[in-house]
Structure formats: structure tokens, C-alpha cells
Amino acid sequence: MHSTPERVVQKVFDVATSKNFEELRGLCAPEADQGIQKICDLADAEKEAQARFSADISKGSLAQSQINGDKATVSINNEDGKEDGKVFLVRKEGRWYLVSGE
């Protein structure tokens, strides 16, 4: 799961559909910002927050990714197929982790 930046971001989309929020726990780097950390902590969140996440994220998809050494940027599309944000990741000990998003 952590082998490529795309796989990490795809896991977030998969969980939005499967609602198996436990699977998000190990996806954030220790230095992840609060916004991304909320995603990794969804297993402990209120059902309302989980439902909102699933409704918003399950319609998205991967656009393109760019890897620069131990950092990566993955662009994501909204449900209309238009680029709708970016997720930033970092590689530590050969595994990719979420750091922030915009």
C-alpha cells in the first residue's frame, strides 16, 4: 500500500467507498498537518464526519503524480473529472505517507 504515492492516495479513495476507516490509520507522516491528520484519524471520528468524508471523497479520482526524490505531489480530480486539489506525500524508509493537501 505504501509502495507508491498513487497507492496511498488511492487507498483514501477506496476507504471512502468501503468505509473501513481503520485502514487510514497508518497513512499519515508524523509531521502531517491537521487537515490530513483528520483523514488518518477518521476511525475515531464521529459518524457524521465519516459520512461527509465518504460522500465527498468517493467521487474523486487520481489525476497525475509527480515524484521529486522523497517528496511527491498527487493531483486529484473531482466527480466531474476536473483537477480539484493536490495531496503532498513524503517517503520515509521506502514507504510513502500523507503530509498535507490543498
Side-chain angles (χ1 to χ4, degrees), residues 7 14 19 30 36-37 39 44 46 49 55-57 59 61 69 72 76 79 81-82 84-85 87 92 97 100:
R7 282 185 127 166
D14 293 348
K19 299 180 173 57
I36 284 288
Q37 191 61 50
I39 291 174
D44 302 321
E46 295 175 10
D56 291 347
I57 304 299
K59 297 174 184 148
S61 62
I76 52 176
E79 61 186 298
K82 296 191 167 79
D84 191 36
V87 181
K92 294 175 180 281
Y97 297 93
S100 63

Side-chain angles (χ1 to χ4, degrees), residues 4-98:
T4 68
E6 298 86 356
R7 282 185 127 166
V8 174
V9 176
Q10 186 60 52
K11 175 51 90 177
V12 174
F13 288 126
D14 293 348
V15 169
T17 304
S18 73
K19 299 180 173 57
N20 189 0
F21 299 107
E22 277 302 316
E23 295 182 9
L24 297 172
R25 278 198 198 279
L27 295 184
C28 283
E31 68 272 24
D33 72 19
Q34 262 189 316
I36 284 288
Q37 191 61 50
K38 280 183 183 172
I39 291 174
C40 294
D41 293 341
L42 269 169
D44 302 321
E46 295 175 10
K47 296 276 181 234
E48 186 180 302
Q50 292 174 347
R52 199 167 45 245
F53 167 82
S54 288
D56 291 347
I57 304 299
S58 64
K59 297 174 184 148
S61 62
L62 294 174
Q64 58 185 11
S65 60
Q66 185 176 352
I67 299 173
N68 189 352
D70 285 337
K71 296 189 176 183
T73 305
V74 177
S75 300
I76 52 176
N77 289 335
N78 62 19
E79 61 186 298
D80 298 325
K82 296 191 167 79
E83 195 170 304
D84 191 36
K86 293 183 169 130
V87 181
F88 302 98
L89 299 95
V90 64
R91 181 169 41 197
K92 294 175 180 281
E93 298 174 12
R95 298 176 69 164
W96 288 97
Y97 297 93
L98 301 168

